[in-house]
Amino acid sequence: MKKPVKKFIKYALTAGLFAGILFTIAPSAGNKTKIIPLAESNFNNKQALFAALKLDSLGLSKEAFEYALSGLEKLDKEGRLKNPDLLTIADFSQPSNKKRLFVIDLKKETVLFNTFVSHGRNSGTAVATAFSNAPESFKSSLGFYVTGETYKGQHGYSLRLEGEEEGINDNAMSRGIVMHSAAYVSEKIAKLQGYVGRSLGCPAIPEKVHKQIIEVIKDGSCLFLYSPDKSYMANSKMLAAEKDTTVA
């Protein structure tokens, strides 16, 4: 059982830092500071952090970032995350010839990696437009995942992913949806044909950086595969609270 946590609010906006961030000090983790967005009135905080990280210039959808922060907070409150300081977003609203994978250190307010990532071959060619949780669909599954353990398999050093959304991506383990490297995911191929190669549903990443990325995000961090897909947006319970806030 987790020990109670002490919470305090730090307001500052200097040197590009954002205001109104909630820091949580967890005694059970050796007084490690965890950064969690405020549940109430946090829209401006998310916008400020988005701006401070210059994510707009990198091409990340603002909606993807805001939804991702809300989902991370929910997963952390439920005790699903061992490392809530890290947030990984695959922004499938972008075509695959863009660097649409973002690994963000929320504590240090730093983008650690920004690179290419594949989607499933039956999800679309350059842009992913079709998604599925079904076995043998060879489509990507949207939503929130918690990263698991690493292993060496058919694609070398790989990372298991556990889907957190019932009916949306909770078949990830049984489908063998993992993060792995692929020779068909590279800047050279993206420029050559206008899109990177496609997987059987896995978020495959470039060989040059896959080990570094997997080492950073493994063992209990949040991964969010985003698209403004109507079915996902309507059915995701993880996004329900954020959608209500946005509408209000």
Side-chain angles (χ1 to χ4, degrees), residues 64 66-73 75 87-88 141-146 162-165 168-170 222-226 232 236 238-239:
E66 291 171 358
Y67 284 136
L69 285 178
S70 294
L72 179 147
E73 182 179 13
L75 290 172
L87 174 61
T88 304
S141 297
L142 296 175
F144 289 89
Y145 296 77
V146 173
E162 185 169 350
E164 296 295 318
E165 302 203 53
I168 295 175
N169 63 17
D170 57 343
C222 177
L223 166 66
F224 180 43
L225 271 56
Y226 168 77
Y232 174 67
S236 173
M238 293 289 291
L239 300 187

Side-chain angles (χ1 to χ4, degrees), residues 23-230:
F23 290 78
T24 302
I25 302 180
S28 59
N31 286 333
K32 179 182 178 182
T33 300
K34 299 190 297 182
I35 296 181
I36 303 174
L38 284 172
E40 297 83 12
S41 303
N42 62 356
F43 183 69
N44 289 332
N45 295 333
K46 291 176 182 178
Q47 284 192 325
L49 180 55
F50 185 83
L53 291 168
K54 300 181 180 179
L55 293 171
D56 183 55
S57 65
L58 295 178
L60 177 63
S61 161
K62 185 181 295 184
E63 289 75 17
F65 181 67
E66 291 171 358
Y67 284 136
L69 285 178
S70 294
L72 179 147
E73 182 179 13
K74 189 174 190 299
L75 290 172
D76 189 38
K77 286 181 178 179
E78 294 174 353
R80 298 289 298 133
L81 300 176
K82 294 180 181 178
N83 189 353
D85 293 336
L86 287 177
L87 174 61
T88 304
I89 305 171
D91 185 0
F92 286 162
S93 69
Q94 298 186 52
S96 66
N97 64 351
K98 301 295 184 182
K99 293 182 178 181
R100 56 183 182 169
L101 184 78
F102 302 82
V103 180
I104 302 168
D105 187 322
L106 296 172
K107 183 178 180 179
K108 296 180 179 178
E109 301 173 27
T110 302
V111 178
L112 301 177
F113 299 96
N114 176 211
T115 190
F116 300 95
V117 60
S118 73
H119 54 254
R121 72 184 188 193
N122 287 341
S123 284
T125 304
V127 180
T129 57
F131 307 95
S132 177
N133 192 36
E136 307 302 321
S137 66
F138 302 146
K139 294 180 180 180
S140 296
S141 297
L142 296 175
F144 289 89
Y145 296 77
V146 173
T147 62
E149 62 184 6
T150 61
Y151 70 98
K152 289 186 178 180
Q154 179 182 356
H155 300 285
Y157 192 55
S158 304
L159 177 65
R160 300 190 193 281
L161 304 173
E162 185 169 350
E164 296 295 318
E165 302 203 53
E166 184 177 359
I168 295 175
N169 63 17
D170 57 343
N171 286 333
M173 284 286 189
S174 61
R175 290 180 63 198
I177 301 300
V178 301
M179 182 174 283
H180 62 77
S181 69
Y184 55 74
V185 182
S186 70
E187 187 167 11
K188 180 179 179 180
I189 291 177
K191 289 181 178 179
L192 182 65
Q193 62 184 22
Y195 56 91
V196 301
R198 292 157 293 164
S199 66
L200 299 183
C202 297
I205 56 179
E207 293 177 319
K208 289 184 178 180
V209 294
H210 83 282
K211 289 183 179 179
Q212 298 98 305
I213 291 176
I214 289 174
E215 275 297 299
V216 167
I217 72 173
K218 67 180 182 180
D219 296 331
S221 70
C222 177
L223 166 66
F224 180 43
L225 271 56
Y226 168 77
S227 168
D229 177 73
K230 291 183 179 179

